[in-house]
Amino acid sequence: MRLSSMPIATQKEAPADAEIVSHQLMLRAGLIRKLAAGIYSWLPLGLRVVRKVERIVREEMDRAGGLEVVLPSVQPGELWRESGRWDYYGPELLRFSDRHERDFCYGPTHEEVITDIARRELRSYRQLPVTFYQIQTKFRDEIRPRFGVMRAREFVMKDAYSFHIDAASLHETYQVMYAAYSRIFERSGLHFRAVEADSGAIGGAVSHEFHVLADSGEDAIVYSNAGEYAANIEAAAAPPPAHERPPAGPAMEKVATPNAHTIEDVCDFLDVPASSCVKTLFVCGDHDNEVVALILRGDHELNAIKAAKLPGIADPLQMATAAQILQAAGSNPGSVGPVGLGCLTYTDLSAANLADFVCGANEDGFHLRSVNWVRDLDETSSADLRNVKKGEASPDGHGTLEIARGIEVGHIFKLETKYSDPMGAKVLNREGKSIAMPMGCYGIGVTRIVAAAIEQNHDERGIIWPAAIAPYQIMIIPINLPKSARVREAAETLYERLGRQGYEVLFDDRDARPGVKFADCDLLGIPVRLVIAERGLDAGTIEVRDRRDSDSENIEIDSLDDYLQDRLAVSE
Ligand code: ATP
Ligand code: MG
């Protein structure tokens, strides 16, 4: 492709509302343009990257035995009522009605639609197992669309669904998909990690997420420094306290703590570590205007996913308002505590193991010191409510936990019969008995991968595409093109030859200064830059530069083929 005929509008500056590097670079390089919040157009260069990711995904899904389908993006509300998700899914589901006032939604995912197909088409165990997949646009009315296509409202997903006769068959396909996902991210040239995960709104008991590791990732990934264990922090079980609760010490005492509103203030004021304090958080209950108290150690962080699973607590978790807290505790948030609370209360296992702790007195400006369970207040239900911390023992018994940031690019689930049961997707098994089919489902954020790849591969000059997903592999930059007939001829010949050899080549034949061309080439992240100049032609050499390196080198023109083969090799 000649750059002179491609109206790419690269930009020096990123728009102020682009917070993360990938979003800035995608806009600056002209890969995407925003239409509305969380809704983006893909321009030619960006679309080429999407297509490359899709191709890798499609090849691996086919290799794993998947059958490609395309399901409608507009789905009848009726189906979602059958599965029970019309009410459960919440405002992320974009709902509307047609001219007959029938409910519809724009598909955020397709379990209902595929289960409807399965219950119509599948009759016998002989047709199983089967895996269907599609690559398609989804819509989720995200509460905070941000970071460009990373957390968009409209995005492209590959979703696959498998149907089985029993749990063993589901497990087998799950393993095949796990391996296929690993190959997809490997082939895409990304550093990734598979982790145990929470199943969220999709459901099911077992699930794994695949994360591209990058500092800007929205998720915290925990992993053992010595063993195999890796999990999303949302799903990582906290180790139970290592020792028995110590015996109670001195009597409970009320102390004035003027102007101490946070755990840090209180710890400073009373000169105690945060691990000897408890904090009390209030969240919304299942029923109108009810609140539930959550008690954690002062140095621990609430895990919203774990808490929302407990009976009596609203899912997704929602913090109570200041007015609700005042009503439940009789004081403002800075002075609340568990002693004398009347509402449903859960205590984290570590907080339940404390003796002689500090907590709010439920009276503004006061705290209690040397508080002890049983003696000073009743024990409550206890549960694992907190995030694990770096340095804690790994649950697999090997080593301690490390924490890294990750971008979730894929998620696989064992759904079991969550959809086939309520929707009646049944087949006859070997014994002639009708059973609901266990299911698996497997999602990949195709457009998110593009942003995640940039997040992981860039420098101050621009994108550094992994070769397998670069929009073009090679950029030819001629120096002094308008004036030098030799340069023009050599560049044209090379452009034509490399194209014939099957390379994807951009030819910067614009009438622009070399500096401008070099900067654009770096911004666009093209893996190999070839510079053609008079001096090189005299010497029989060509200047090559790998986007990952800072320096260029001159190589014999005859060895160019070897260089390209070596540099642009991708695994199939
Ligand atoms: P997240 O936790 O990031 O909101 P999710 O767990 O809701 O994602 P899944 O239902 O597991 O997402 O969807 C499968 C894949 O689709 C995700 O792993 C992710 O790569 C992609 N995806 C989900 N939501 C978005 C979004 N808003 N924008 C872009 N990609 C998305
Ligand atoms: Mg997910």
Side-chain angles (χ1 to χ4, degrees), residues 89 92 108-109 111 138 140 142 145 148-158 198-202 209-210 218-219 232 234 407-413 442-449:
Y89 215 94
E92 259 186 40
T109 176
E111 285 78 13
K138 307 282 189 235
R140 294 182 180 182
E142 296 272 352
V149 298
M150 188 80 90
R151 180 165 297 288
R153 295 199 293 168
E154 185 176 299
F155 59 96
V156 177
M157 196 200 287
K158 184 285 300 174
D198 177 69
S199 299
I202 307 290
E209 289 170 352
F210 290 77
E218 287 186 290
D219 285 281
N232 190 313
E234 293 176 350
I407 301 168
E408 181 194 325
V409 286
H411 199 166
I412 60 177
F413 309 73
Y442 319 90
I444 283 190
V446 170
T447 42
R448 184 181 280 183
I449 286 178

Side-chain angles (χ1 to χ4, degrees), residues 50-60 572:
V50 175
R51 292 285 183 251
K52 290 212 167 164
V53 174
E54 284 178 355
R55 188 176 145 205
I56 294 172
V57 168
R58 189 172 272 117
E59 283 175 8
E60 292 302 330
E572 293 286 327

Side-chain angles (χ1 to χ4, degrees), residues 334-351:
S335 301
V336 294
V339 180
L341 275 185
C343 61
L344 174 61
T345 303
Y346 288 101
T347 304
D348 178 68
L349 294 166
S350 309

